[in-house]
Structure formats: C-alpha cells, structure tokens
Amino acid sequence: MSKIFIIGPDIIHRNFYFLNRFGEVSKFKSINNVKSAENVTLFIIEKDQHKEKSFRDFSRMFNVVPKLILSSDYSFRGFSSWLKLPLIYPVHNPNDKELIFLADRLISENAIQNENRRLNKETAQHNKELGFFENVGKILISDMELNKMLA
C-alpha cells in the first residue's frame, strides 16, 4: 500500500483525511524524524523544513519521490533550496480540492516514471540477451561452414 508523509510542525495539525484515498497518511514534525520509508508515493512538506540539519540526507534518500512544498505565506523565500531538487512542486496555501488534484497528478506521474524505469531496465536486459544469442548464432554458423569446408 502506498504512503503519503505529511512533514512539518504546523501542517500536522491540519486534517488530511481526504488523502486517504491515495494511501496511508502519516504525519511527522520534522524531516529529522523520517529515517526510512518504503512505498512512499508523496511527501507534503512545509517550506521551512529546508532549515533542518538532515535536509541534505533527506533530499538524497528520497530524490525519486515527488514532494509538495507548502507555504502558508505568499513569499518565495525558502523555496530556492527546494527547487534545486528533482520532483519538487511548490504550492501556496492550497485548499483541499487543490491538494487532491495535485496528489492525484503527482502520484500518477510518479507511477509512470517508475514504470518507465522498470521498462528501460528490462529493455537493457533483453538487449544483452539478444546480443548473447546473436553471438551464439554466429558461432554456430561459422562452425557449420568450417565443417563443410573440411568435409
């Protein structure tokens, strides 16, 4: 089952019941409290979490998971460190409908990206196997030609 993590001291008090349709919702006061997470499909994080000590480790550990960065004010201060990372979507004080739309969109896009990664790995593996069988075929053909010449 997929998980959505809500991170930030102010937004954990907000009710995110409407996101339960996408998976289990867990709340944390800080990114320092998130050590490892399997099956996380989305992070909803307060903008000021970039000031935490473990921000760099967090960003490296979860670089393939989309993150909605929430800001309660309409200032762009504090977004710059987030925008350097992949899969970051800044949002200014979204309402419930906006969060539902964004969560659905980001989870769908993440699923497509994961499927593309899987298909690329499978294609590379199939290409290796195909190359092996081409080599075996060439060896068998050259062996048969050698037998004809010697006979």
Side-chain angles (χ1 to χ4, degrees), residues 45-81:
I45 307 172
E46 280 184 7
K47 172 177 71 169
D48 294 333
Q49 289 295 305
H50 75 281
K51 298 174 184 173
E52 296 292 330
K53 292 179 182 178
S54 64
F55 174 73
R56 187 172 279 167
D57 295 333
F58 176 84
S59 60
R60 286 182 188 144
M61 189 181 313
F62 301 109
N63 65 342
V64 295
V65 179
K67 297 163 201 71
L68 279 174
I69 308 302
L70 285 122
S71 173
S72 57
D73 59 359
Y74 288 97
S75 169
F76 285 103
R77 287 180 187 241
F79 277 134
S80 62
S81 55

mmCIF file of all heavy atoms in Angstrom, residues 45-81:
data_model
loop_
_atom_site.group_PDB
_atom_site.id
_atom_site.type_symbol
_atom_site.label_atom_id
_atom_site.label_comp_id
_atom_site.label_asym_id
_atom_site.label_seq_id
_atom_site.Cartn_x
_atom_site.Cartn_y
_atom_site.Cartn_z
ATOM 1 N N ILE A 45 5.323 18.706 2.488
ATOM 2 C CA ILE A 45 6.301 19.231 3.441
ATOM 3 C C ILE A 45 6.162 20.740 3.568
ATOM 4 O O ILE A 45 5.957 21.439 2.571
ATOM 5 C CB ILE A 45 7.739 18.891 2.966
ATOM 6 C CG1 ILE A 45 7.876 17.406 2.691
ATOM 7 C CG2 ILE A 45 8.767 19.353 3.977
ATOM 8 C CD1 ILE A 45 9.181 17.011 2.047
ATOM 9 N N GLU A 46 6.323 21.232 4.785
ATOM 10 C CA GLU A 46 6.371 22.684 4.999
ATOM 11 C C GLU A 46 7.666 23.230 4.405
ATOM 12 O O GLU A 46 8.723 22.607 4.483
ATOM 13 C CB GLU A 46 6.328 23.011 6.491
ATOM 14 C CG GLU A 46 4.964 22.965 7.080
ATOM 15 C CD GLU A 46 4.958 23.390 8.536
ATOM 16 O OE1 GLU A 46 5.992 23.838 9.050
ATOM 17 O OE2 GLU A 46 3.898 23.255 9.160
ATOM 18 N N LYS A 47 7.565 24.406 3.866
ATOM 19 C CA LYS A 47 8.697 25.056 3.207
ATOM 20 C C LYS A 47 9.898 25.211 4.128
ATOM 21 O O LYS A 47 11.046 25.042 3.705
ATOM 22 C CB LYS A 47 8.233 26.421 2.685
ATOM 23 C CG LYS A 47 9.308 27.308 2.134
ATOM 24 C CD LYS A 47 8.747 28.597 1.583
ATOM 25 C CE LYS A 47 8.257 29.515 2.664
ATOM 26 N NZ LYS A 47 7.947 30.864 2.176
ATOM 27 N N ASP A 48 9.675 25.500 5.403
ATOM 28 C CA ASP A 48 10.771 25.787 6.332
ATOM 29 C C ASP A 48 11.571 24.554 6.753
ATOM 30 O O ASP A 48 12.557 24.692 7.477
ATOM 31 C CB ASP A 48 10.236 26.497 7.579
ATOM 32 C CG ASP A 48 9.708 27.879 7.241
ATOM 33 O OD1 ASP A 48 10.183 28.472 6.261
ATOM 34 O OD2 ASP A 48 8.805 28.357 7.958
ATOM 35 N N GLN A 49 11.191 23.390 6.300
ATOM 36 C CA GLN A 49 11.931 22.175 6.656
ATOM 37 C C GLN A 49 13.319 22.125 6.019
ATOM 38 O O GLN A 49 14.146 21.315 6.421
ATOM 39 C CB GLN A 49 11.130 20.929 6.259
ATOM 40 C CG GLN A 49 9.904 20.698 7.114
ATOM 41 C CD GLN A 49 10.276 20.404 8.552
ATOM 42 O OE1 GLN A 49 11.044 19.500 8.836
ATOM 43 N NE2 GLN A 49 9.730 21.186 9.471
ATOM 44 N N HIS A 50 13.598 23.010 5.063
ATOM 45 C CA HIS A 50 14.937 23.026 4.468
ATOM 46 C C HIS A 50 15.994 23.500 5.471
ATOM 47 O O HIS A 50 17.184 23.319 5.253
ATOM 48 C CB HIS A 50 14.968 23.916 3.210
ATOM 49 C CG HIS A 50 14.968 25.383 3.503
ATOM 50 N ND1 HIS A 50 13.820 26.068 3.830
ATOM 51 C CD2 HIS A 50 15.974 26.282 3.540
ATOM 52 C CE1 HIS A 50 14.128 27.334 4.050
ATOM 53 N NE2 HIS A 50 15.423 27.502 3.879
ATOM 54 N N LYS A 51 15.569 24.066 6.589
ATOM 55 C CA LYS A 51 16.497 24.549 7.614
ATOM 56 C C LYS A 51 16.967 23.434 8.552
ATOM 57 O O LYS A 51 17.874 23.644 9.341
ATOM 58 C CB LYS A 51 15.838 25.654 8.441
ATOM 59 C CG LYS A 51 15.476 26.877 7.628
ATOM 60 C CD LYS A 51 14.701 27.875 8.458
ATOM 61 C CE LYS A 51 14.241 29.052 7.620
ATOM 62 N NZ LYS A 51 13.354 29.943 8.388
ATOM 63 N N GLU A 52 16.348 22.275 8.472
ATOM 64 C CA GLU A 52 16.701 21.165 9.354
ATOM 65 C C GLU A 52 18.088 20.618 9.021
ATOM 66 O O GLU A 52 18.538 20.689 7.876
ATOM 67 C CB GLU A 52 15.663 20.040 9.240
ATOM 68 C CG GLU A 52 14.285 20.423 9.694
ATOM 69 C CD GLU A 52 14.191 20.677 11.186
ATOM 70 O OE1 GLU A 52 14.959 20.051 11.947
ATOM 71 O OE2 GLU A 52 13.361 21.502 11.595
ATOM 72 N N LYS A 53 18.749 20.049 10.026
ATOM 73 C CA LYS A 53 20.102 19.519 9.860
ATOM 74 C C LYS A 53 20.154 18.372 8.862
ATOM 75 O O LYS A 53 21.124 18.231 8.121
ATOM 76 C CB LYS A 53 20.657 19.042 11.199
ATOM 77 C CG LYS A 53 20.924 20.149 12.175
ATOM 78 C CD LYS A 53 21.447 19.603 13.491
ATOM 79 C CE LYS A 53 21.661 20.725 14.492
ATOM 80 N NZ LYS A 53 22.126 20.212 15.794
ATOM 81 N N SER A 54 19.133 17.547 8.842
ATOM 82 C CA SER A 54 19.153 16.362 7.984
ATOM 83 C C SER A 54 18.551 16.614 6.600
ATOM 84 O O SER A 54 18.248 15.670 5.880
ATOM 85 C CB SER A 54 18.403 15.223 8.667
ATOM 86 O OG SER A 54 17.052 15.569 8.827
ATOM 87 N N PHE A 55 18.420 17.868 6.206
ATOM 88 C CA PHE A 55 17.813 18.194 4.907
ATOM 89 C C PHE A 55 18.581 17.559 3.758
ATOM 90 O O PHE A 55 17.988 16.968 2.850
ATOM 91 C CB PHE A 55 17.746 19.715 4.721
ATOM 92 C CG PHE A 55 17.278 20.134 3.361
ATOM 93 C CD1 PHE A 55 15.954 19.982 3.005
ATOM 94 C CD2 PHE A 55 18.159 20.669 2.439
ATOM 95 C CE1 PHE A 55 15.511 20.363 1.755
ATOM 96 C CE2 PHE A 55 17.729 21.060 1.190
ATOM 97 C CZ PHE A 55 16.398 20.903 0.845
ATOM 98 N N ARG A 56 19.896 17.640 3.779
ATOM 99 C CA ARG A 56 20.713 17.098 2.692
ATOM 100 C C ARG A 56 20.553 15.578 2.604
ATOM 101 O O ARG A 56 20.392 15.023 1.517
ATOM 102 C CB ARG A 56 22.174 17.480 2.892
ATOM 103 C CG ARG A 56 23.045 17.098 1.720
ATOM 104 C CD ARG A 56 24.417 17.647 1.863
ATOM 105 N NE ARG A 56 24.365 19.056 1.430
ATOM 106 C CZ ARG A 56 25.326 19.921 1.645
ATOM 107 N NH1 ARG A 56 26.407 19.560 2.291
ATOM 108 N NH2 ARG A 56 25.228 21.150 1.218
ATOM 109 N N ASP A 57 20.596 14.903 3.744
ATOM 110 C CA ASP A 57 20.410 13.447 3.751
ATOM 111 C C ASP A 57 19.013 13.064 3.269
ATOM 112 O O ASP A 57 18.842 12.112 2.506
ATOM 113 C CB ASP A 57 20.641 12.879 5.151
ATOM 114 C CG ASP A 57 22.069 13.054 5.629
ATOM 115 O OD1 ASP A 57 22.973 13.132 4.767
ATOM 116 O OD2 ASP A 57 22.277 13.136 6.849
ATOM 117 N N PHE A 58 18.025 13.810 3.712
ATOM 118 C CA PHE A 58 16.645 13.569 3.300
ATOM 119 C C PHE A 58 16.498 13.720 1.790
ATOM 120 O O PHE A 58 15.891 12.875 1.129
ATOM 121 C CB PHE A 58 15.716 14.538 4.031
ATOM 122 C CG PHE A 58 14.278 14.455 3.609
ATOM 123 C CD1 PHE A 58 13.435 13.512 4.170
ATOM 124 C CD2 PHE A 58 13.771 15.319 2.650
ATOM 125 C CE1 PHE A 58 12.113 13.430 3.788
ATOM 126 C CE2 PHE A 58 12.453 15.242 2.265
ATOM 127 C CZ PHE A 58 11.621 14.297 2.832
ATOM 128 N N SER A 59 17.077 14.777 1.248
ATOM 129 C CA SER A 59 16.932 15.024 -0.191
ATOM 130 C C SER A 59 17.633 13.948 -1.014
ATOM 131 O O SER A 59 17.170 13.601 -2.098
ATOM 132 C CB SER A 59 17.447 16.414 -0.547
ATOM 133 O OG SER A 59 18.808 16.536 -0.219
ATOM 134 N N ARG A 60 18.733 13.422 -0.522
ATOM 135 C CA ARG A 60 19.421 12.341 -1.244
ATOM 136 C C ARG A 60 18.660 11.028 -1.151
ATOM 137 O O ARG A 60 18.585 10.269 -2.115
ATOM 138 C CB ARG A 60 20.820 12.139 -0.673
ATOM 139 C CG ARG A 60 21.782 13.221 -1.067
ATOM 140 C CD ARG A 60 23.160 12.944 -0.518
ATOM 141 N NE ARG A 60 24.027 14.096 -0.738
ATOM 142 C CZ ARG A 60 24.942 14.489 0.118
ATOM 143 N NH1 ARG A 60 25.153 13.820 1.235
ATOM 144 N NH2 ARG A 60 25.670 15.540 -0.145
ATOM 145 N N MET A 61 18.121 10.747 0.029
ATOM 146 C CA MET A 61 17.440 9.473 0.260
ATOM 147 C C MET A 61 16.138 9.364 -0.533
ATOM 148 O O MET A 61 15.782 8.299 -1.020
ATOM 149 C CB MET A 61 17.153 9.302 1.752
ATOM 150 C CG MET A 61 16.652 7.922 2.115
ATOM 151 S SD MET A 61 16.262 7.693 3.866
ATOM 152 C CE MET A 61 17.671 8.369 4.686
ATOM 153 N N PHE A 62 15.437 10.467 -0.688
ATOM 154 C CA PHE A 62 14.120 10.430 -1.311
ATOM 155 C C PHE A 62 14.071 11.281 -2.585
ATOM 156 O O PHE A 62 13.084 11.955 -2.846
ATOM 157 C CB PHE A 62 13.056 10.915 -0.321
ATOM 158 C CG PHE A 62 12.989 10.096 0.928
ATOM 159 C CD1 PHE A 62 13.424 10.614 2.133
ATOM 160 C CD2 PHE A 62 12.505 8.806 0.899
ATOM 161 C CE1 PHE A 62 13.367 9.864 3.287
ATOM 162 C CE2 PHE A 62 12.449 8.039 2.043
ATOM 163 C CZ PHE A 62 12.880 8.568 3.246
ATOM 164 N N ASN A 63 15.113 11.216 -3.404
ATOM 165 C CA ASN A 63 15.148 12.066 -4.590
ATOM 166 C C ASN A 63 14.200 11.614 -5.693
ATOM 167 O O ASN A 63 13.915 12.383 -6.605
ATOM 168 C CB ASN A 63 16.571 12.200 -5.121
ATOM 169 C CG ASN A 63 17.114 10.876 -5.622
ATOM 170 O OD1 ASN A 63 16.593 9.815 -5.292
ATOM 171 N ND2 ASN A 63 18.163 10.943 -6.401
ATOM 172 N N VAL A 64 13.676 10.391 -5.651
ATOM 173 C CA VAL A 64 12.759 9.927 -6.695
ATOM 174 C C VAL A 64 11.292 10.003 -6.271
ATOM 175 O O VAL A 64 10.420 9.571 -7.009
ATOM 176 C CB VAL A 64 13.095 8.484 -7.144
ATOM 177 C CG1 VAL A 64 14.453 8.425 -7.808
ATOM 178 C CG2 VAL A 64 12.997 7.525 -5.998
ATOM 179 N N VAL A 65 11.037 10.546 -5.090
ATOM 180 C CA VAL A 65 9.657 10.674 -4.598
ATOM 181 C C VAL A 65 9.219 12.131 -4.774
ATOM 182 O O VAL A 65 9.926 13.046 -4.354
ATOM 183 C CB VAL A 65 9.564 10.272 -3.104
ATOM 184 C CG1 VAL A 65 8.139 10.431 -2.597
ATOM 185 C CG2 VAL A 65 10.058 8.859 -2.896
ATOM 186 N N PRO A 66 8.055 12.371 -5.396
ATOM 187 C CA PRO A 66 7.595 13.752 -5.556
ATOM 188 C C PRO A 66 7.256 14.398 -4.214
ATOM 189 O O PRO A 66 6.821 13.724 -3.280
ATOM 190 C CB PRO A 66 6.348 13.626 -6.428
ATOM 191 C CG PRO A 66 5.948 12.211 -6.377
ATOM 192 C CD PRO A 66 7.138 11.406 -5.990
ATOM 193 N N LYS A 67 7.500 15.717 -4.161
ATOM 194 C CA LYS A 67 7.275 16.458 -2.919
ATOM 195 C C LYS A 67 6.482 17.730 -3.201
ATOM 196 O O LYS A 67 6.863 18.515 -4.060
ATOM 197 C CB LYS A 67 8.619 16.828 -2.283
ATOM 198 C CG LYS A 67 9.444 15.627 -1.867
ATOM 199 C CD LYS A 67 10.895 16.033 -1.657
ATOM 200 C CE LYS A 67 11.811 14.852 -1.745
ATOM 201 N NZ LYS A 67 11.968 14.300 -3.080
ATOM 202 N N LEU A 68 5.394 17.899 -2.485
ATOM 203 C CA LEU A 68 4.645 19.158 -2.498
ATOM 204 C C LEU A 68 5.196 20.003 -1.367
ATOM 205 O O LEU A 68 5.166 19.584 -0.207
ATOM 206 C CB LEU A 68 3.161 18.913 -2.262
ATOM 207 C CG LEU A 68 2.317 18.473 -3.428
ATOM 208 C CD1 LEU A 68 0.914 18.146 -2.961
ATOM 209 C CD2 LEU A 68 2.280 19.539 -4.479
ATOM 210 N N ILE A 69 5.705 21.163 -1.681
ATOM 211 C CA ILE A 69 6.256 22.055 -0.666
ATOM 212 C C ILE A 69 5.225 23.139 -0.404
ATOM 213 O O ILE A 69 4.932 23.947 -1.278
ATOM 214 C CB ILE A 69 7.600 22.662 -1.126
ATOM 215 C CG1 ILE A 69 8.556 21.560 -1.591
ATOM 216 C CG2 ILE A 69 8.200 23.496 -0.018
ATOM 217 C CD1 ILE A 69 8.854 20.512 -0.546
ATOM 218 N N LEU A 70 4.683 23.150 0.817
ATOM 219 C CA LEU A 70 3.625 24.083 1.171
ATOM 220 C C LEU A 70 4.176 25.323 1.842
ATOM 221 O O LEU A 70 5.065 25.239 2.685
ATOM 222 C CB LEU A 70 2.631 23.410 2.116
ATOM 223 C CG LEU A 70 1.723 22.430 1.417
ATOM 224 C CD1 LEU A 70 1.868 21.083 2.044
ATOM 225 C CD2 LEU A 70 0.323 22.916 1.523
ATOM 226 N N SER A 71 3.611 26.443 1.459
ATOM 227 C CA SER A 71 3.954 27.710 2.074
ATOM 228 C C SER A 71 2.660 28.382 2.522
ATOM 229 O O SER A 71 1.717 28.501 1.739
ATOM 230 C CB SER A 71 4.684 28.596 1.071
ATOM 231 O OG SER A 71 4.882 29.873 1.592
ATOM 232 N N SER A 72 2.633 28.818 3.769
ATOM 233 C CA SER A 72 1.426 29.478 4.266
ATOM 234 C C SER A 72 1.365 30.936 3.832
ATOM 235 O O SER A 72 0.304 31.517 3.735
ATOM 236 C CB SER A 72 1.348 29.372 5.786
ATOM 237 O OG SER A 72 2.509 29.930 6.360
ATOM 238 N N ASP A 73 2.527 31.525 3.576
ATOM 239 C CA ASP A 73 2.552 32.913 3.091
ATOM 240 C C ASP A 73 2.790 32.903 1.584
ATOM 241 O O ASP A 73 3.061 31.884 0.982
ATOM 242 C CB ASP A 73 3.631 33.721 3.809
ATOM 243 C CG ASP A 73 5.023 33.139 3.631
ATOM 244 O OD1 ASP A 73 5.167 32.096 2.961
ATOM 245 O OD2 ASP A 73 5.977 33.732 4.155
ATOM 246 N N TYR A 74 2.692 34.045 0.982
ATOM 247 C CA TYR A 74 2.857 34.138 -0.469
ATOM 248 C C TYR A 74 4.260 34.600 -0.845
ATOM 249 O O TYR A 74 4.471 35.147 -1.908
ATOM 250 C CB TYR A 74 1.788 35.061 -1.059
ATOM 251 C CG TYR A 74 0.436 34.404 -1.017
ATOM 252 C CD1 TYR A 74 -0.452 34.671 0.015
ATOM 253 C CD2 TYR A 74 0.071 33.491 -1.976
ATOM 254 C CE1 TYR A 74 -1.684 34.046 0.073
ATOM 255 C CE2 TYR A 74 -1.162 32.859 -1.934
ATOM 256 C CZ TYR A 74 -2.030 33.142 -0.910
ATOM 257 O OH TYR A 74 -3.240 32.513 -0.863
ATOM 258 N N SER A 75 5.194 34.360 0.015
ATOM 259 C CA SER A 75 6.583 34.717 -0.236
ATOM 260 C C SER A 75 7.302 33.542 -0.888
ATOM 261 O O SER A 75 7.016 32.384 -0.613
ATOM 262 C CB SER A 75 7.264 35.075 1.087
ATOM 263 O OG SER A 75 8.642 35.173 0.912
ATOM 264 N N PHE A 76 8.271 33.859 -1.739
ATOM 265 C CA PHE A 76 9.080 32.818 -2.362
ATOM 266 C C PHE A 76 10.336 32.510 -1.554
ATOM 267 O O PHE A 76 11.120 31.667 -1.935
ATOM 268 C CB PHE A 76 9.468 33.225 -3.788
ATOM 269 C CG PHE A 76 8.325 33.109 -4.746
ATOM 270 C CD1 PHE A 76 7.653 34.242 -5.170
ATOM 271 C CD2 PHE A 76 7.915 31.875 -5.209
ATOM 272 C CE1 PHE A 76 6.595 34.139 -6.046
ATOM 273 C CE2 PHE A 76 6.858 31.758 -6.082
ATOM 274 C CZ PHE A 76 6.189 32.896 -6.511
ATOM 275 N N ARG A 77 10.516 33.188 -0.439
ATOM 276 C CA ARG A 77 11.684 32.923 0.410
ATOM 277 C C ARG A 77 11.603 31.504 0.958
ATOM 278 O O ARG A 77 10.577 31.072 1.437
ATOM 279 C CB ARG A 77 11.745 33.894 1.572
ATOM 280 C CG ARG A 77 12.148 35.273 1.161
ATOM 281 C CD ARG A 77 12.194 36.172 2.371
ATOM 282 N NE ARG A 77 12.426 37.524 1.932
ATOM 283 C CZ ARG A 77 13.474 38.230 2.290
ATOM 284 N NH1 ARG A 77 14.348 37.727 3.115
ATOM 285 N NH2 ARG A 77 13.637 39.443 1.831
ATOM 286 N N GLY A 78 12.725 30.804 0.872
ATOM 287 C CA GLY A 78 12.794 29.442 1.374
ATOM 288 C C GLY A 78 12.546 28.376 0.326
ATOM 289 O O GLY A 78 12.780 27.204 0.577
ATOM 290 N N PHE A 79 12.091 28.760 -0.850
ATOM 291 C CA PHE A 79 11.860 27.779 -1.913
ATOM 292 C C PHE A 79 13.138 27.443 -2.682
ATOM 293 O O PHE A 79 13.219 26.392 -3.297
ATOM 294 C CB PHE A 79 10.814 28.278 -2.912
ATOM 295 C CG PHE A 79 9.398 28.047 -2.494
ATOM 296 C CD1 PHE A 79 8.468 29.056 -2.601
ATOM 297 C CD2 PHE A 79 8.980 26.821 -2.009
ATOM 298 C CE1 PHE A 79 7.153 28.855 -2.229
ATOM 299 C CE2 PHE A 79 7.669 26.609 -1.623
ATOM 300 C CZ PHE A 79 6.755 27.631 -1.743
ATOM 301 N N SER A 80 14.115 28.327 -2.667
ATOM 302 C CA SER A 80 15.295 28.140 -3.527
ATOM 303 C C SER A 80 16.037 26.842 -3.238
ATOM 304 O O SER A 80 16.445 26.145 -4.159
ATOM 305 C CB SER A 80 16.244 29.334 -3.417
ATOM 306 O OG SER A 80 16.722 29.455 -2.095
ATOM 307 N N SER A 81 16.211 26.486 -1.979
ATOM 308 C CA SER A 81 16.918 25.245 -1.674
ATOM 309 C C SER A 81 16.088 24.020 -2.081
ATOM 310 O O SER A 81 16.641 22.979 -2.422
ATOM 311 C CB SER A 81 17.287 25.178 -0.197
ATOM 312 O OG SER A 81 16.156 25.348 0.599
#
